Amino acid sequence: MAGLEGLDTFLTAASRACCSPFAIFIQIQGCAICLILAIGWSFAAYVRSRVIRHMKHNLEGGNSFAFICDDINELEHSAQLDLPRVSVVMPLKGFGEHNLQNWRSQITSLYGGPLEFLFLVESIDDPAYHAVSKLISEFKDSVDAKIIVAGLSTTCSQKIHNQLVGVERMHKDSKYVLFLDDDVRLHPGSIGALTKEMEKNPDIFIQTGYPLDLPSGSLGSYCIYEYHMPCSMGFATGGKTFFLWGGCMMMHAEDFRKDLYGVVSGLRDGGYSDDMTLAAIAGQHKRLISSPPVAVFPHPLASDLSFPRYWNYLRKQTFVLESYISKVNWLMNRALFSSHCYLSWAFVFPYFMAMTHLAAALRAPYSDSLLKETSASCSGLTLAGCLFICTILELASMWNLTKVEIYLCNLLSPEGPRVSLGSYNWGLVFIAMLVDNLLYPISATRSHFTQSINWSGIRYHLKNGKISKIERSKEYGSNLTDLGGKHLYGKRLSPPKASFLSSLSRSLAQWHQPKKYDS
């Protein structure tokens, strides 16, 4: 009985506190955040849906290659001869369960112009080296691909180091360079679509896209899916955007040859994040970043993605805001840091208040003090009901955008593995929303005060926004890391045998890939 009296006293005080003017403001603000997210996702779904309708119209009009190009006449040999040369640079680290399928989707692109693929690893001891070497030998007669040992980075992150080595080794006649992460699963027409936009609008500084996370079932994977979803609004504009995703960036090769705006030196001299650095340069010089609506890519997450690995990923994402290349960039990062932390907890706290109101209402019939409190003010349950309705609208909008993007991905890759909405657990999505937004400010604060991060077995230290020290040791991380659950150490892994779908993709590539071009 004493325990129940103590609980009643606590609920009475908590219910009273949650009905204060400031608490009511916080709860109304939580409802507003849910509605803003719902509206944003609805707009993003509308933009993607327009592309679907356009593709269906082309298919009905007899263009069976609508997933590659709008006009089937673009596949004429005379049109293909005019396509610019593209160098695809892919920094690799480790080998995971989805990498082989992702790499196949990249090198079997149906882009009809001159195309080369440069796979960059830090050393031959990386499991990725042996896996991709075998893949290249399998496709040696149909694609121009090579693996390059970039060595260890000393002044920047290993990924940036690999990218810059790839840029140095790209073909001298390449007009565009496409940076891809090794966890990107391309569509057959993705490279062509990105190149077409670059050709159409020479003012584009960077062309980008965004991943559609495919959760594996663990809470950690749903937290990552939920973390990426708000950002998806900024990549579904159908054109100009202020957002940039490092997993897919197409740029003018000449910008790197001339170090335009310091894109090379800015990355090389202490750069930690490729996309944040380049986005800062684009913003500083008022250059255009664009994201075509077809640039959405399936991103399968590791089947064994544990919660600690999600936490390390979140730490990496918040650590990005500690790196900067200019005073303006620092101010922007501080603004992002502050606003994201505030909005994250502003989203979570109303749910704790709603649970307090609900618990007080359920306990009220058995407690005189609670009965008087709930009788005096019934606004608490009203606010909880409003939050419930707003949450349903938010989840419905997220579900609709995911459904649209899945449908679009399946249209863009008609011969690839089918993506399904049925595997999503929306109860876990809601829990992930609470967990991720609760932990974000904690992670951001820790990143701010530690100024160091362990990623892929490498510990980076920052000073004045730039990498000042790099430590490499297996003790800094397990032999598994990253969202794809990639093996970093241990035995050399051999890729699995090619499936029917990958063989079909290879056949398509051989059918459409042009003859070898002169170097």
Side-chain angles (χ1 to χ4, degrees), residues 131 140 222 489:
K140 63 181 179 181
Y222 278 101
Y489 320 113

Side-chain angles (χ1 to χ4, degrees), residues 60-71:
E60 292 170 358
N63 181 8
S64 56
F65 294 98
F67 65 98
I68 300 176
C69 57
D70 292 335
D71 185 357

